[in-house]
Amino acid sequence: MVTGSAPNRPKKPRWSGGRYPPKRRVCFFCRDKVESIDYKDAARFGRYVNERAKIEPRRRTGTCARHQRMLARAIKRARHLALLPIIPEHVRLGIAVGAAAPIAEAEAAKLKPVAVPQAPAEPTSDEKTD
């Protein structure tokens, strides 16, 4: 029996099909030598916010820790000043998405339109009698 040596088996790859593949990304802000991220540049934040209006994690966007903190702070400031939405658009519009869609359609079918009473029209000069 030999101690201290590993058996002859092939090395296991670093990534074995987990949730996210290892893709080395360079931070966009470090590459462009950005010192500060301005909250007023809301058009740039679209890449870092998903369709549910959540801030994307570092592992998905490839930003470094320093710029991710600055980015999160800028996105939160832009939300506070209503430059970015706080909730996703489909929630604001009341559109059902996913498993709740059939339930919402059934609920909408139960609702009946309500007639709004209209004020009587003013008589025209031809209809006026003195």
Side-chain angles (χ1 to χ4, degrees):
M1 180 166 156
V2 178
T3 59
S5 84
N8 292 334
R9 58 183 136 156
K11 284 191 169 184
K12 187 176 169 185
R14 292 189 110 183
W15 179 68
S16 57
R19 192 173 210 174
Y20 302 104
K23 185 177 179 184
R24 181 66 186 143
R25 296 186 180 133
V26 178
C27 177
F28 172 79
F29 300 105
C30 289
R31 186 182 66 203
D32 292 345
K33 295 179 175 59
V34 175
E35 289 299 318
S36 64
I37 300 172
D38 191 12
Y39 67 91
K40 291 176 257 179
D41 192 11
R44 180 182 281 186
F45 300 145
R47 178 177 171 188
Y48 302 100
V49 178
N50 65 11
E51 70 275 354
R52 310 263 315 157
K54 291 181 166 185
I55 300 172
E56 289 281 355
R58 282 181 54 205
R59 66 177 174 261
R60 193 164 295 156
T61 60
T63 56
C64 66
R66 176 176 172 242
H67 285 112
Q68 179 71 17
R69 286 191 298 270
M70 293 168 67
L71 181 69
R73 193 175 307 124
I75 289 172
K76 290 173 186 177
R77 284 181 180 164
R79 283 179 180 163
H80 185 74
L81 295 172
L83 300 175
L84 282 178
I86 294 176
I87 58 174
E89 186 175 357
H90 71 274
V91 174
R92 276 183 281 141
L93 298 177
I95 301 170
V97 176
I103 297 168
E105 290 171 7
E107 291 295 323
K110 290 179 186 176
L111 299 175
K112 295 178 182 174
V114 178
V116 178
Q118 296 181 357
E122 291 287 326
T124 60
S125 62
D126 296 339
E127 295 175 357
K128 287 186 180 177
T129 56
D130 288 324

